[in-house]
Amino acid sequence: LTHWFDNIYSERIESKTKMVGLYILNSLILPNIEYDIKVSLTTKEYLDDILEKASKYTKCSGYAARGMIILAFKDAYKGGYINYNVALQTKAYIREKPNIRIFSRFQLKRFLNTVKNNSYYLEILLGVFCGLRKGEIYGLKFKDFDLENNILSINRQLKLEFEYKDNKIVSSKLVEAPPKTPESKRKLKFPEIIKIELIKRAELVEENKRKYDYKDNDYISCQKNGLPHYPGCLNKVLYKICNELSLPSISVHSLRHMCATILIESGVTLAKIAAFLGHTSIHTTFEYYCEVMDEKQKILNFINDNFSEEIIENET
């Protein structure tokens, strides 16, 4: 498998595809091979055992690992090392397609040009270019930004805390909490446009302090009186803008997916994307890649689109 990947498969794929292919090989397949055998002696049961273990990582890992093994055995058959592709007999794994929406480059440009004068422009930029979660955006404070070095520190999130009575919600309030996972506490470089908008936001906050009975919590995203926005506000704004532009409706989480798309298309490694987005493991980032891959047809399908059709034909 390593010989095939380095000397055959890598010669016909793009660098982005190779990056994810290495993850599939080194994180999903090879660690689950308990004993090595000659390719000519490989059986369906042997491969099914590997794939079953690989399928435990993510919703799409079994599908991805099987696709790569089938490709490897296809080349082994062409090279005369085996008499038939035994990998085609293995258990099929279906990848559930998530319900996500990602703008095309043209749609994103149109969207960003439209929201330039929107009061949530800074929040939208933080979603698209920093991949922040909604709670992380609401929890940001001016002190979290190093404007000299364009570095942002994610130290907290704002989330709803509910009070229950007789198993019913009787009240809720926004509270500061640690980031979603330990890995979510991170430092990010941010683009100049965010610095420009942050300075504008700081000026607006100072103006509001003079005009209103202002409760100063240092939040960059807040109401005119300094209190935090209700969590659903930003999604409502996004829905309204998309409706006005006749674009597919998106959420704050969709902005995070768009950030992942930008990083993937820029050739950033999965490990770095995982750190950037604050994922617990690289397996979560791999799920992101597969989701983006499904939505963006121009991203090369590293499991080989043409051969996927051959898989379906053989199994049918």
Side-chain angles (χ1 to χ4, degrees):
L1 283 171
T2 52
H3 169 80
W4 165 79
F5 190 93
D6 293 338
N7 298 283
I8 301 173
Y9 187 56
S10 294
E11 295 298 315
R12 62 177 189 245
I13 57 175
E14 293 183 351
S15 58
K16 294 191 289 285
T17 307
K18 183 175 180 179
M19 171 186 72
V20 181
L22 282 169
Y23 163 80
I24 296 173
L25 181 65
N26 294 323
S27 297
L28 302 182
I29 299 175
L30 295 183
N32 291 307
I33 297 178
E34 292 187 11
Y35 56 96
D36 205 3
I37 62 174
K38 292 183 178 181
V39 67
S40 60
L41 299 178
T42 305
T43 63
K44 168 187 176 298
E45 291 73 21
Y46 174 84
L47 294 177
D48 273 333
D49 181 62
I50 295 171
L51 292 174
E52 183 182 2
K53 293 171 184 173
S55 69
K56 307 296 183 184
Y57 292 94
T58 73
K59 291 180 180 179
C60 66
S61 56
Y63 173 82
R66 182 173 185 261
M68 176 164 284
I69 288 176
I70 286 175
L71 286 177
F73 274 75
K74 177 186 177 184
D75 287 329
Y77 173 75
K78 285 182 177 179
Y81 296 99
I82 53 177
N83 296 323
Y84 68 99
N85 189 343
V86 67
L88 289 171
Q89 299 176 347
T90 56
K91 174 186 173 182
Y93 289 85
I94 299 173
R95 197 181 86 77
E96 299 175 16
K97 285 193 174 183
N99 184 25
I100 64 168
R101 290 192 175 101
I102 297 177
F103 288 157
S104 66
R105 189 167 297 186
F106 172 77
Q107 288 174 324
L108 180 57
K109 185 176 180 180
R110 182 174 169 228
F111 174 79
L112 290 176
N113 283 334
T114 302
V115 299
K116 280 182 178 178
N117 297 318
N118 190 281
S119 59
Y120 282 90
Y121 185 45
L122 175 58
E123 288 83 348
I124 292 170
L125 291 176
L126 288 165
V128 174
F129 296 115
C130 293
L132 300 190
R133 301 177 178 95
K134 181 172 62 176
E136 292 172 344
I137 293 174
Y138 285 138
L140 283 176
K141 300 187 177 186
F142 286 101
K143 66 180 181 181
D144 297 325
F145 290 82
D146 176 355
L147 295 184
E148 184 176 345
N149 299 300
N150 284 31
I151 294 176
L152 163 61
S153 299
I154 310 298
N155 297 312
R156 76 194 69 78
Q157 64 170 324
L158 275 185
K159 68 176 186 177
L160 277 175
E161 187 177 84
F162 299 98
E163 182 182 345
Y164 294 88
K165 186 176 182 179
D166 298 328
N167 293 324
K168 292 183 179 179
I169 298 174
V170 294
S171 66
S172 64
K173 62 179 179 179
L174 279 170
V175 297
E176 290 186 11
K180 186 177 180 181
T181 65
E183 291 77 14
S184 297
K185 193 171 184 178
R186 60 203 188 276
K187 293 182 182 292
L188 310 174
K189 289 282 287 186
F190 58 84
E192 194 67 19
I193 182 62
I194 288 180
K195 179 178 180 177
I196 293 170
E197 290 304 315
L198 185 68
I199 293 172
K200 290 181 183 178
R201 180 64 58 85
E203 293 171 352
L204 176 62
V205 166
E206 289 303 316
E207 184 179 338
N208 287 338
K209 286 179 181 179
R210 294 190 294 269
K211 289 183 178 179
Y212 305 99
D213 181 14
Y214 196 89
K215 186 172 182 179
D216 193 358
N217 291 303
D218 199 38
Y219 293 130
I220 69 159
S221 180
C222 58
Q223 302 175 52
K224 292 179 180 179
N225 60 2
L227 294 176
H229 292 295
Y230 194 78
C233 290
L234 184 49
N235 278 335
K236 287 182 179 179
V237 168
L238 292 173
Y239 177 81
K240 182 180 179 182
I241 295 170
C242 291
N243 189 47
E244 291 173 352
L245 295 176
S246 298
L247 289 171
S249 296
I250 61 169
S251 64
V252 181
H253 203 67
S254 300
L255 302 180
R256 188 166 157 85
H257 279 286
M258 290 182 207
C259 179
T261 305
I262 292 170
L263 295 174
I264 288 165
E265 291 186 338
S266 300
V268 179
T269 64
L270 289 182
K272 288 184 178 179
I273 296 176
F276 191 86
L277 296 177
H279 286 160
T280 304
S281 76
I282 195 172
H283 301 307
T284 306
T285 312
F286 177 61
E287 283 284 350
Y288 259 73
Y289 182 92
C290 288
E291 291 177 14
V292 170
M293 182 184 68
D294 276 351
E295 293 293 320
K296 306 281 283 183
Q297 293 184 1
K298 63 183 178 180
I299 297 180
L300 194 64
N301 189 334
F302 58 88
I303 303 175
N304 191 322
D305 279 328
N306 294 328
F307 193 60
S308 293
E309 295 175 4
E310 184 180 333
I311 294 173
I312 295 171
E313 290 172 2
N314 276 277
E315 292 180 341
T316 302

